[in-house]
Amino acid sequence: MNSNNTDKRKILIADDDDDSRAMLSFLLEEEGWEVKEARNGEEALETVIQEQPDLLILDNRMPKLSGIEVYQRLQAQGIKIAVVLATAHGYLDELASSLGIAHFIAKPYDIPELLRTIESAYKSSFS
């Protein structure tokens, strides 16, 4: 049995911006995460169900389903997952708060802040 696979934390990056996904994938793989990617809300929903990642970085503005719609559908299905909501728009704190999402980050990303937010979201999902 390969124990390395079971020890690696899994993260899903749901963002329709290819450059943003590529940058985050590279960064998070360097941090030791197993990274999965989704280009739109439908892919994000399917990947969460299939892959069961530990954490989801969820862009709000995506085609097919918005980040809010993805989050609401996961909640409706009883799927509990740590979420970091990301958007380039200024109402992020109110939006996250209204959904009950404690962890959020504005775009463009401040990398040290992003990594702290991801770690905080991951740790709080186990408390």
Side-chain angles (χ1 to χ4, degrees), residues 46-100:
E46 291 168 11
T47 306
V48 167
I49 292 166
Q50 291 171 356
E51 298 289 335
Q52 301 179 349
D54 299 303
L55 192 135
L56 169 61
I57 297 177
L58 187 58
D59 182 30
N60 188 41
R61 298 228 169 164
M62 291 186 295
K64 299 191 180 179
L65 292 172
S66 71
I68 293 169
E69 292 169 319
V70 170
Y71 183 74
Q72 290 172 331
R73 289 187 186 196
L74 291 171
Q75 295 294 299
Q77 293 182 36
I79 296 171
K80 302 292 182 211
I81 184 171
V83 173
V84 174
L85 186 65
T87 190
H89 304 282
Y91 56 88
L92 181 59
D93 51 345
E94 294 121 29
L95 177 63
S97 177
S98 73
L99 294 167

